């Protein structure tokens, strides 16, 4: 037998009420904030986006596998961190909806009635009674005293009394929703940056141009193309002037970069550490620098007299002409023990393990002792400086800035302004009591002093 439609609707509403009550719970807010604080501390202690070998060396294989499974090495882009932020967003929305209707009604509509009822007299925190003859004749006097303190009072007349109502700072009740809104905006900006932003890097040699940056994902460097090109026109180092010391200490390093868009130079700017420049939503930071060496290697077959000179840069691989062998330049060292300048290279031959050898500039015949088809000589070395740039894109950064500005505004309104209300009820009878009442939502000490001065002024003229 089917249940009546009315009962089914009641069950559904009951579940929605339970769900809504869960999300508007202050306990949930506190729990989520504590959880965010804990994982943020963990994210600070655990280096993010490093190499797997570094993590394994530090934590061991077993702990590395556990932390990697839960994505603690890139936690700010993990699904569970985004889920915590989304839950906090929903929680703040639910908490705001719970109070926003009453706050907006107070701010834009004002009180439902401005007459001072007997029930309000019993409920208001500040109430004083002043006995005086002909209370209604003191209306203008009390109006004048209210104008000195608050705004011009409203006058509400009934058959038995006249009520003067005055208030100020009604907008201060907006401090709560503005602060909540700012937190929501900041969280949304953070989510957008986490989901759609990136942080990459690129090294550019002086005089060269690049059209892509590299993103480090676990142990891989993934190229991300740009829709424009970046050229390094110049790179320079400035050293501290330290008299009597031979070693040099770098004071600052700067790069002059040019943006080429559709083949046209559209922007040229000098960047320094902590002074980036921006183009098409990307921020370019001066992050590092270094020197890379271009080496001229002489390659000669033992069975031939001709020598071929290869121009190879550190880290690059070049084929040896007329052979199936490749050679990679690993590194340049200015002083290798007592042999002087040298480079380390690796031979790659089919069906053979890679073979690493050293070649020294001051010992050109040393490589002949090696049993190989090729003899290497170090013909020349050219050093070139490069600038290391960190390239970031964060579409939520301006949203976060807007949220931060709103938060400052909300906190100023919340802490430095208050909604103050006062009533003066004057009976129309020839004798009676003037009832003075007031309330405030914040800064009760200051309000109590001002209310006391107003009461004494009214009593003095009684």
């Amino acid at each position: 037998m089917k249940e009546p439609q009315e009962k089914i609707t009641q069950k559904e509403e009951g579940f929605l009420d339970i769900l809504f009550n869960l999300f508007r719970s202050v306990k949930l807010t506190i729990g989520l904030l504590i959880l965010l604080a804990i994982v943020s501390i963990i994210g600070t202690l655990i280096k993010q986006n490093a190499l797997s070998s570094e993590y394994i060396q530090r934590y061991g294989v077993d702990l590395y596998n556990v932390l990697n499974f839960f994505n603690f090495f890139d936690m700010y882009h993990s699904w569970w961190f985004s889920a915590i932020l989304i839950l906090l967003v929903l929680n703040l929305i639910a908490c705001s909806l719970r109070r926003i209707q009453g706050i907006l009604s107070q701010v834009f509509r004002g009180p439902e009635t401005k007459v001072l009822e007997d029930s309000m007299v019993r409920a208001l925190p500040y109430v004083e009674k002043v006995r005086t003859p002909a209370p209604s004749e003191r209306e203008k006097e009390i109006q004048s005293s209210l104008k000195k303190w608050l705004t011009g009072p409203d006058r509400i007349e009934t058959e038995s009394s006249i009520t003067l109502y005055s208030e100020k700072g009604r907008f201060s009740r907006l401090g709560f929703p503005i602060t909540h809104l700012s937190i929501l905006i900041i969280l949304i900006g953070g989510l957008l940056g986490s989901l759609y932003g990136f942080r990459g890097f690129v090294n550019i040699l002086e005089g060269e141009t690049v059209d892509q940056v590299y993103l480090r994902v676990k142990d891989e460097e993934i190229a991300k193309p740009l829709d424009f090109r970046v050229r390094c026109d110049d790179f320079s180092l400035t050293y501290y002037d330290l008299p009597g010391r031979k070693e040099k200490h770098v004071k600052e390093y700067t790069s002059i970069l040019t943006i080429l868009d559709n083949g046209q130079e559209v922007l040229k700017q000098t960047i320094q550490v902590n002074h980036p420049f921006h183009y098409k939503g990307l921020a370019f930071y001066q992050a590092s620098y270094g020197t890379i060496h271009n080496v001229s290697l002489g390659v000669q077959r033992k069975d031939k007299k001709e020598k071929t000179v290869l121009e190879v840069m550190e880290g690059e691989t070049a084929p040896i002409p007329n052979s199936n062998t490749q050679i990679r330049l690993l590194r340049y060292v200015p002083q290798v023990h007592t042999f002087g300048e040298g480079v380390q290279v690796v031979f790659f031959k089919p069906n053979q393990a890679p073979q690493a050898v050293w070649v020294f500039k001051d010992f050109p015949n040393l490589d002949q002792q090696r049993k190989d088809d090729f003899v290497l000589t170090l013909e020349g070395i050219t050093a070139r400086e490069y600038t290391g740039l960190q390239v970031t894109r964060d579409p939520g950064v301006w949203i976060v800035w807007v949220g931060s500005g709103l938060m400052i505004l909300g906190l100023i309104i919340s802490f430095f302004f208050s909604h103050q209300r006062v009533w003066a009820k004057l009976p129309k009878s020839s004798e009676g009591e003037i009832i003075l009442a007031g309330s405030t939502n914040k800064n009760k000490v200051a309000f109590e002093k001002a209310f006391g001065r107003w009461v004494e002024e009214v009593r003095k003229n009684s």
Side-chain angles (χ1 to χ4, degrees):
M1 185 175 179
K2 293 185 178 180
E3 291 183 287
Q5 184 66 31
E6 184 178 347
K7 290 186 177 181
I8 295 174
T9 304
Q10 287 177 353
K11 288 182 179 179
E12 290 177 352
E13 290 178 352
F15 172 75
L16 293 176
D17 288 340
I18 292 172
L19 189 62
F20 184 70
N21 289 333
L22 172 64
F23 275 106
R24 71 181 186 181
S25 169
V26 178
K27 292 181 180 179
L28 178 61
T29 308
I30 296 173
L32 289 173
L33 291 175
I34 292 174
L35 184 58
L36 272 178
I38 292 173
V39 297
S40 298
I41 292 172
I42 295 174
T44 303
L45 297 176
I46 298 177
K47 186 178 180 181
Q48 301 291 296
N49 297 308
L51 298 176
S52 297
S53 57
E54 182 177 344
Y55 290 130
I56 293 173
Q57 183 179 4
R58 180 176 296 182
Y59 303 111
V61 176
D62 294 336
L63 184 56
Y64 164 78
N65 290 330
V66 173
L67 295 175
N68 188 52
F69 178 79
F70 290 103
N71 208 16
F72 272 100
F73 302 132
D74 190 17
M75 53 174 283
Y76 298 112
H77 294 92
S78 63
W79 66 267
W80 54 264
F81 189 82
S82 298
I84 294 173
L85 294 181
I86 292 173
L87 282 175
L88 186 57
V89 167
L90 295 175
N91 174 247
L92 289 173
I93 291 175
C95 289
S96 299
L97 290 176
R98 186 179 183 179
R99 296 179 58 185
I100 191 66
Q101 185 176 357
I103 292 174
L104 294 179
S105 177
Q106 287 180 325
V107 172
F108 297 106
R109 295 181 184 177
E112 293 182 1
T113 177
K114 297 179 181 179
V115 176
L116 187 61
E117 306 287 353
D118 292 339
S119 59
M120 295 173 60
V121 173
R122 290 190 295 268
L124 289 171
Y126 304 100
V127 177
E128 295 288 344
K129 297 180 180 180
V130 179
R131 179 166 291 277
T132 181
S136 59
E137 295 179 2
R138 301 192 58 191
E139 179 182 343
K140 291 185 178 180
E141 173 196 328
I142 296 176
Q143 281 183 342
S144 177
S145 63
L146 280 176
K147 287 181 180 179
K148 296 177 183 178
W149 179 20
L150 305 175
T151 57
D154 295 331
R155 185 179 185 276
I156 306 96
E157 184 174 356
T158 62
E159 292 182 0
S160 60
S161 66
I162 298 171
T163 299
L164 301 177
Y165 172 79
S166 186
E167 67 176 333
K168 73 173 182 179
R170 189 192 296 177
F171 71 92
S172 66
R173 294 188 178 273
L174 290 173
F176 165 79
I178 289 176
T179 304
H180 268 214
L181 178 63
S182 69
I183 296 173
L184 287 174
I185 292 174
I186 291 172
L187 290 175
I188 291 171
L191 280 171
L192 288 176
S194 175
L195 296 174
Y196 301 106
F198 66 83
R199 176 175 295 180
F201 67 94
V202 65
N203 295 329
I204 312 178
L205 289 165
E206 279 186 311
E208 292 199 353
T209 305
V210 298
D211 58 2
Q212 61 185 10
V213 298
Y214 297 91
L215 311 182
R216 182 172 286 117
V217 180
K218 294 185 183 284
D219 290 342
E220 297 183 13
E221 292 180 359
I222 300 176
K224 184 175 182 61
L226 304 174
D227 58 355
F228 55 91
R229 306 177 73 195
V230 184
R231 185 180 68 214
C232 177
D233 295 325
D234 186 39
F235 175 79
S236 60
L237 293 171
T238 303
Y239 297 94
Y240 287 101
D241 185 12
L242 301 174
R245 295 189 181 183
K246 294 182 179 180
E247 66 273 13
K248 294 183 177 181
H249 296 275
V250 176
K251 182 179 181 180
E252 64 179 10
Y253 43 98
T254 60
S255 302
I256 300 177
L257 303 180
T258 297
I259 300 294
L260 305 170
D261 204 339
N262 295 323
Q264 302 293 324
E265 293 187 6
V266 295
L267 179 65
K268 175 177 284 191
Q269 190 165 336
T270 300
I271 65 170
Q272 299 173 319
V273 177
N274 297 326
H275 293 82
F277 84 95
H278 303 266
Y279 185 72
K280 285 190 173 182
L282 298 179
F284 294 81
Y285 294 86
Q286 181 71 73
S288 62
Y289 65 93
T291 302
I292 196 167
H293 297 85
N294 190 53
V295 177
S296 298
L297 280 177
V299 183
Q300 182 180 2
R301 284 183 176 272
K302 285 188 175 180
D303 57 349
K304 294 183 179 181
K305 294 183 179 180
E306 295 83 5
K307 179 189 292 187
T308 302
V309 178
L310 299 178
E311 299 292 334
V312 189
M313 194 169 291
E314 280 183 285
E316 289 187 347
T317 302
I320 297 178
N322 303 319
S323 72
N324 55 3
T325 302
Q326 292 184 322
I327 189 170
R328 176 180 295 174
L329 179 61
L330 293 181
R331 55 175 174 158
Y332 161 80
V333 180
Q335 183 67 41
V336 184
H337 301 297
T338 59
F339 293 97
E341 289 183 294
V343 293
Q344 188 180 32
V345 300
V346 176
F347 283 101
F348 294 97
K349 298 181 180 181
N351 303 321
Q352 294 185 26
Q355 180 185 4
V357 299
W358 281 95
V359 183
F360 302 102
K361 186 176 182 180
D362 296 336
F363 298 88
N365 299 323
L366 185 62
D367 196 55
Q368 295 179 0
Q369 302 176 15
R370 186 172 49 85
K371 295 179 180 180
D372 194 88
D373 298 335
F374 300 97
V375 177
L376 301 179
T377 55
L378 185 52
E379 303 292 329
I381 301 165
T382 304
R384 298 180 64 185
E385 291 181 327
Y386 68 84
T387 179
L389 303 178
Q390 178 178 290
V391 185
T392 62
R393 180 178 183 270
D394 189 352
V397 65
W398 290 110
I399 298 176
V400 172
W401 278 112
V402 170
S404 300
L406 278 178
M407 178 175 285
I408 294 173
L409 176 62
L411 292 175
I412 290 175
I413 293 174
S414 296
F415 287 104
F416 295 99
F417 296 92
S418 60
H419 185 196
Q420 301 177 6
R421 299 180 295 169
V422 294
W423 292 262
K425 187 175 182 180
L426 293 75
K428 291 183 176 180
S429 59
S430 58
E431 288 189 6
E433 291 180 330
I434 299 175
I435 301 176
L436 307 176
S439 71
T440 181
N441 63 333
K442 293 188 291 287
N443 199 6
K444 295 181 179 181
V445 174
F447 178 83
E448 185 175 353
K449 292 180 180 179
F451 183 79
R453 289 194 295 268
W454 179 52
V455 172
E456 289 300 320
E457 184 177 348
V458 175
R459 278 182 175 155
K460 187 189 303 180
N461 300 322
S462 298

